[in-house]
Amino acid sequence: CLKTKKYKGKYYASIIPGNVKDQLERLENMEVRDDDTFVLSYPKSGTHWVFTIASMLRTGKSSYSGSPHFLDYNEIDLLDNLPSPRLLASHLTFDQLPRQVREGKGKVLLITRNPKDVAVSYHIFMTKLNAPDYKGSWEGFLRFYSEGRMLYGSWFDAFFDWENTKATYKGDNILYLIYEDMKQDLLANVTKIAAFLCETYDKSFLEEVTDRSTFKTMVKTVMEEIKPSDQDYIHQMSDDKKLPIYRKGEVGDWKNHFTVAQNEIFDKIYQEKMKNTNCTFRFE
Ligand code: PPS
C-alpha cells in the first residue's frame, strides 16, 4: 500500500525521477570522476553510517555532513553539478551503477547487514516515515519481506548480487563491508576505509573519526550539526520529528520483534536460500 514504481518485477521508490527505466539508462551513461565515492547497500544496512565515515575521511574534517545524495532519487544534472569529491549513495545493485564505475572508475563501499535486523529497521522506518499511504503491520511486513516484495526487492537477491560481485568482478575499486564487523571493531573498519580511499591520516585522526561515528555520538550530535536544509528534509521525512535513520544501531534488536514462530519460519527460509554460500552473518 506504499506508492512505488515497478520495473522488471522489482519495486522502486516513487521519488525516482521519471520512470525507472529512463533513470537507470541515464545512470548507466553518467560521467564518473576518479575521485567519486559510491556507498552501495540494501536499505537499512548502514548506508548513512558508512557515508558519514567516508565523508569525514574524504574531507579530512571530523564534522557531519547530513544525508548523502542518492543516485537513484536525483536528476543527473544535479549530480553532474555537485562539487568534487562527490560522495554518492545508492540502493541499486552493482550492475545498475554507471558503466564507468563497473569499468573501474571511482570507488565503491558496499555494505551488507544481517537480514533480521534489516527487517526490523526497515519496518520501523516505514511506519515512522511521513508516508500516509503506508500502514503495514509487522507480521504482514515480515511476510512481504521474506517473499522479496519490498522496495529494492529481496534482501536475498541483494545479498547474492553482493556475493556474485565479490566472486566475479575483477576491478579493485570495491571495498566490501559488513555492518556487524563494523560494530565489533569500528576503528579497524575506519582504518580499512581510509586505506581504500587512499587517504593517509595519523592514528589520532582515525580515532577521532571513529569516536565521531559511534552510534551514541552520532545520534546525539548529528541533528545539532547538520545544515538546516538537511534538518528540514529529515523533519519532512518523519512523523514524530525524530530522525528515523538513526534508531538503535544494534546487532540483535530483531529478538525484540520476531516472535518464536516468525523466527523459525525466517530461519528455514534463510537456511534454504543461503545453503550454497559460505557467508555467515552474526545475528547477535
Ligand atoms: S537507509 O534509510 O536505507 O539509507 O538507512 P541506512 O542508513 O542504510 O541504515 C539505517 C540503520 O543504520 C543504523 N546506523 C548505525 N548503526 C551503528 N552505528 C552507527 N553510527 C549508525 N548510524 C546509523 C541506524 O540506526 C539504522 O538501524 P536501526 O537498526 O534501525 O537502528
Side-chain angles (χ1 to χ4, degrees), residues 189-250:
N189 279 276
V190 166
T191 308
K192 198 157 78 173
I193 296 171
F196 172 72
L197 295 178
C198 301
E199 303 289 2
T200 41
Y201 293 114
D202 55 24
K203 195 156 175 250
S204 68
F205 182 71
L206 296 176
E207 282 170 349
E208 195 182 330
V209 170
T210 304
D211 283 347
R212 297 273 292 160
S213 44
T214 61
F215 183 78
K216 220 169 135 195
T217 313
M218 277 182 72
V219 84
K220 200 165 71 170
T221 46
V222 94
M223 279 304 273
E224 289 159 20
E225 293 189 22
I226 59 175
K227 302 193 294 266
S229 57
D230 271 348
Q231 291 188 14
D232 288 348
Y233 164 74
I234 284 153
H235 284 167
Q236 278 166 28
M237 280 173 72
S238 162
D239 262 353
D240 60 4
K241 310 283 181 246
K242 284 197 189 124
L243 198 58
I245 304 276
Y246 303 95
R247 191 187 60 91
K248 238 174 175 180
E250 284 175 6

Side-chain angles (χ1 to χ4, degrees), residues 44-49 91 113 121 179 213 245 247-249:
K44 315 320 293 176
S45 302
T47 326
H48 286 74
W49 190 14
H91 294 318
R113 182 184 190 187
S121 178
Y179 181 99
S213 44
I245 304 276
R247 191 187 60 91
K248 238 174 175 180

Side-chain angles (χ1 to χ4, degrees), residues 12-250:
Y12 292 86
S14 59
I15 53 172
I16 288 180
N19 70 52
V20 178
K21 180 174 179 281
D22 289 348
Q23 178 72 355
L24 290 178
E25 271 171 22
R26 287 188 288 262
L27 286 175
E28 168 76 12
N29 298 313
M30 184 182 146
E31 200 61 40
V32 176
R33 304 176 198 158
D34 287 327
D35 58 1
D36 281 344
T37 308
F38 299 84
V39 178
L40 207 64
S41 64
Y42 187 74
K44 315 320 293 176
S45 302
T47 326
H48 286 74
W49 190 14
V50 173
F51 164 80
T52 302
I53 295 168
S55 160
M56 291 191 224
L57 293 171
R58 272 293 193 218
T59 58
K61 292 187 193 125
S62 57
S63 53
Y64 296 124
S65 35
S67 275
H69 282 96
F70 273 80
L71 280 182
D72 336 10
Y73 309 146
N74 285 292
E75 301 281 354
I76 305 295
D77 277 357
L78 184 146
L79 300 172
D80 281 346
N81 286 319
L82 292 174
S84 291
R86 291 185 299 187
L87 195 48
L88 302 161
S90 179
H91 294 318
L92 298 171
T93 52
F94 182 69
D95 64 333
Q96 292 174 318
L97 286 189
R99 190 183 56 251
Q100 291 181 354
V101 177
R102 301 185 329 262
E103 290 169 354
K105 214 167 175 185
K107 294 200 167 160
V108 182
L109 298 164
L110 221 164
I111 175 142
T112 187
R113 182 184 190 187
N114 86 67
K116 292 184 190 177
D117 284 329
V118 167
V120 169
S121 178
Y122 209 159
H123 180 247
I124 295 175
F125 179 77
M126 295 303 291
T127 54
K128 285 200 161 202
L129 208 60
N130 206 351
D133 53 342
Y134 181 77
K135 286 186 186 51
S137 68
W138 163 239
E139 197 182 356
F141 181 92
L142 186 59
R143 186 160 47 81
F144 273 45
Y145 177 82
S146 305
E147 292 166 2
R149 291 158 70 193
M150 285 282 119
L151 282 182
Y152 294 100
S154 148
W155 178 91
F156 292 102
D157 289 346
F159 173 74
F160 294 137
D161 183 76
W162 191 86
E163 279 246 304
N164 184 42
T165 304
K166 202 167 182 186
T168 58
Y169 178 64
K170 300 279 181 276
D172 58 2
N173 60 334
I174 304 186
L175 181 66
Y176 299 90
L177 298 162
I178 296 179
Y179 181 99
E180 291 73 24
D181 290 353
M182 290 179 55
K183 283 294 290 185
Q184 200 161 40
D185 192 341
L186 188 52
L187 177 60
N189 279 276
V190 166
T191 308
K192 198 157 78 173
I193 296 171
F196 172 72
L197 295 178
C198 301
E199 303 289 2
T200 41
Y201 293 114
D202 55 24
K203 195 156 175 250
S204 68
F205 182 71
L206 296 176
E207 282 170 349
E208 195 182 330
V209 170
T210 304
D211 283 347
R212 297 273 292 160
S213 44
T214 61
F215 183 78
K216 220 169 135 195
T217 313
M218 277 182 72
V219 84
K220 200 165 71 170
T221 46
V222 94
M223 279 304 273
E224 289 159 20
E225 293 189 22
I226 59 175
K227 302 193 294 266
S229 57
D230 271 348
Q231 291 188 14
D232 288 348
Y233 164 74
I234 284 153
H235 284 167
Q236 278 166 28
M237 280 173 72
S238 162
D239 262 353
D240 60 4
K241 310 283 181 246
K242 284 197 189 124
L243 198 58
I245 304 276
Y246 303 95
R247 191 187 60 91
K248 238 174 175 180
E250 284 175 6

